[in-house]
Amino acid sequence: YLGHVCVARGDVRRGLALHDEAAAAVLGGPVAPWFAGLVYCGLVYICQNRGDWTRATHWTEAFERWSDRVPTFTYPAVCRMHRAEVLALRGELAAAERDLIDVRTELETSAPWAVGDAERLVGEVLRARGDLDGAERAYRRAQVVGWNSCPGWAELLIERNDPTAAVRALEMAIEDPSWPCRQRRRLLLAALARAAAMSGDTVRAREAIDLAMTSEDGEITSAQHGALERARGEVAAA
């Protein structure tokens, strides 16, 4: 949990180091399965929020190998939810959607605070499959229970030719003090820059890019780099 706080506050290197240390302790010693699941979920969640898919995949594979050796370990609903996002990024959309549907009802009992995040992920999968109406319904369900669906929600608005609404949604997400939004700040700023450029406000777009480059002291992940380059392309095109 201290690692989550550090990353949300911008001390990314320390936060990641704490999570790596916790994961190494789980994989290298006799740790109760419930705590193992907690550590895995926390580590992968930070990776997902920062777009650090290489690290997320590495730890997911490591925990899968570890779980094969620990017969009492089963992925709880929250862990399966995070693993589904990794599957989606690999392009295994059907498997990801199946897992998310399976865990959604269970989350309402075991981890109601995560229901909104599961709905957000359903929206991501459906948007990737081209089901924009289904994605919108999922994103709105996430918002109803208090979970911010950006940047996916903003991407959907852009796909529906409403970049101005996307700018408003992203600015609200960037101002959101919750730790998930704080951890996604650089990706949110990159998305804001792209949306602003597409709406004709290149000054706002450049400001967002500049802020993204100085928003945290962690290294820029490949996904963050790609999002920023995409935004710069939209600025240049505008």
Side-chain angles (χ1 to χ4, degrees):
Y1 283 115
L2 179 58
H4 275 297
V5 172
C6 289
V7 174
R9 294 183 63 183
D11 192 358
V12 176
R13 289 188 178 88
R14 184 186 179 205
L16 292 178
L18 287 167
H19 275 266
D20 284 348
E21 182 178 351
V26 169
L27 299 179
V31 178
W34 188 87
F35 284 104
L38 193 66
V39 169
Y40 167 76
C41 287
L43 175 56
V44 173
Y45 197 53
I46 280 182
C47 293
Q48 290 168 343
N49 282 336
R50 300 191 68 246
D52 193 348
W53 300 112
T54 300
R55 182 187 288 262
T57 300
H58 166 78
W59 283 116
T60 295
E61 292 173 349
F63 270 84
E64 285 176 345
R65 290 192 299 270
W66 177 83
S67 67
D68 290 340
R69 303 193 305 269
V70 182
T72 59
F73 180 77
T74 57
Y75 281 94
V78 176
C79 292
R80 290 175 63 196
M81 178 185 73
H82 292 315
R83 188 171 59 167
E85 188 163 7
V86 175
L87 292 175
L89 264 292
R90 290 175 176 172
E92 300 175 34
L93 298 179
E97 185 176 6
R98 193 163 52 245
D99 273 4
L100 289 169
I101 291 172
D102 287 345
V103 304
R104 194 159 41 181
T105 301
E106 185 180 341
L107 286 171
E108 292 177 357
T109 302
S110 64
W113 54 268
V115 170
D117 202 17
E119 295 288 7
R120 175 188 70 85
L121 291 175
V122 171
E124 296 289 305
V125 171
L126 293 177
R127 184 168 63 84
R129 295 177 64 174
D131 182 359
L132 300 189
D133 290 338
E136 179 176 351
R137 288 192 293 270
Y139 287 140
R140 289 192 182 279
R141 288 195 300 268
Q143 293 164 7
V144 165
V145 295
W147 201 272
N148 195 297
S149 299
C150 284
W153 169 243
E155 292 285 348
L156 176 65
L157 292 172
I158 289 173
E159 289 182 44
R160 289 192 159 162
N161 298 314
D162 196 353
T164 301
V167 169
R168 290 196 299 268
L170 288 161
E171 287 181 335
M172 290 178 62
I174 289 167
E175 295 300 320
D176 190 325
S178 65
W179 57 266
C181 284
R182 298 296 298 176
Q183 291 184 0
R184 294 199 298 264
R185 186 171 174 79
R186 183 174 275 161
L187 288 173
L188 291 170
L189 285 165
L192 172 60
R194 177 169 174 258
M198 295 179 74
S199 69
D201 190 350
T202 55
V203 173
R204 182 72 180 96
R206 290 192 178 95
E207 289 175 348
I209 291 173
D210 291 342
L211 188 56
M213 297 302 296
T214 58
S215 65
E216 57 180 340
D217 62 359
E219 294 180 3
I220 296 178
T221 67
S222 58
Q224 291 172 346
H225 176 72
L228 287 166
E229 288 302 300
R230 191 182 189 192
R232 290 187 179 101
E234 290 293 348
V235 172

